[in-house]
Amino acid sequence: MKTETAVQDGILFVRLSGDLIGSPDTQQLLQSVDQHLGDELRHCAVDLSEVRYINSTGIGVLVSLLTKFRSRGGELVLINPADHPRKMLALTKLNAIFSIADDDSAAAQQLKASN
C-alpha cells in the first residue's frame, strides 16, 4: 500500500493506493496521521479511490482513524471508495457510520459543515 498525506485548509488529506490490509504499511499510515494530529488538525479526508482490496484489518484501521478524529471533536470523510472497499463498508454496515464524498471538494465541504 502506498500512502500520501497533505494538509489543505486545515484538513488532512490521506491518499491510499494498493491493498489496505494488515501490513507494516498500516502502522506507517497510523504513525503519519498521529504526527499530523500534533498540528491541531481535527478533520481528515481519506481517498480510497485507488484501494483495490481491503480486509478486516484495513476496516479496523479506518475505524481507528475515525475514532482519533471524533475524540478530538473532529470528523473523518472517505473519498470515493473503489468497488471492493465500498462493498466491505456496506457488508459491515459501516457505511452508516462513515461519511462518504465523491471528491476532494465535496469532502472539504462536508468537513467544514461538521464544525
Side-chain angles (χ1 to χ4, degrees):
M1 179 182 70
K2 188 173 157 197
T3 304
E4 294 177 25
T5 59
V7 177
Q8 293 177 299
D9 297 327
I11 299 170
L12 174 62
F13 284 88
V14 179
R15 302 198 190 290
L16 304 176
S17 59
D19 297 335
L20 183 50
I21 56 176
S23 67
D25 295 337
T26 57
Q27 288 305 315
Q28 289 175 334
L29 166 63
L30 292 171
Q31 289 172 351
S32 174
V33 169
D34 283 345
Q35 288 173 346
H36 286 291
L37 286 176
D39 300 336
E40 298 300 317
L41 291 173
R42 292 189 11 228
H43 298 304
C44 181
V46 180
D47 186 342
L48 297 177
S49 62
E50 298 294 321
V51 174
R52 295 179 305 236
Y53 180 82
I54 187 169
N55 65 7
S56 59
T57 303
I59 293 284
V61 168
L62 294 178
V63 171
S64 175
L65 291 174
L66 178 67
T67 303
K68 283 177 191 281
F69 283 94
R70 285 193 175 167
S71 69
R72 299 171 67 88
E75 189 58 66
L76 179 138
V77 172
L78 301 178
I79 300 172
N80 193 23
D83 285 342
H84 189 265
R86 191 177 294 269
K87 287 176 187 171
M88 287 298 288
L89 289 167
L91 184 68
T92 58
K93 308 246 186 282
L94 289 172
N95 56 346
I97 305 295
F98 285 98
S99 297
I100 297 176
D102 290 334
D103 55 31
D104 289 8
S105 62
Q109 285 179 339
Q110 283 185 27
L111 291 168
K112 288 181 197 262
S114 72
N115 279 341

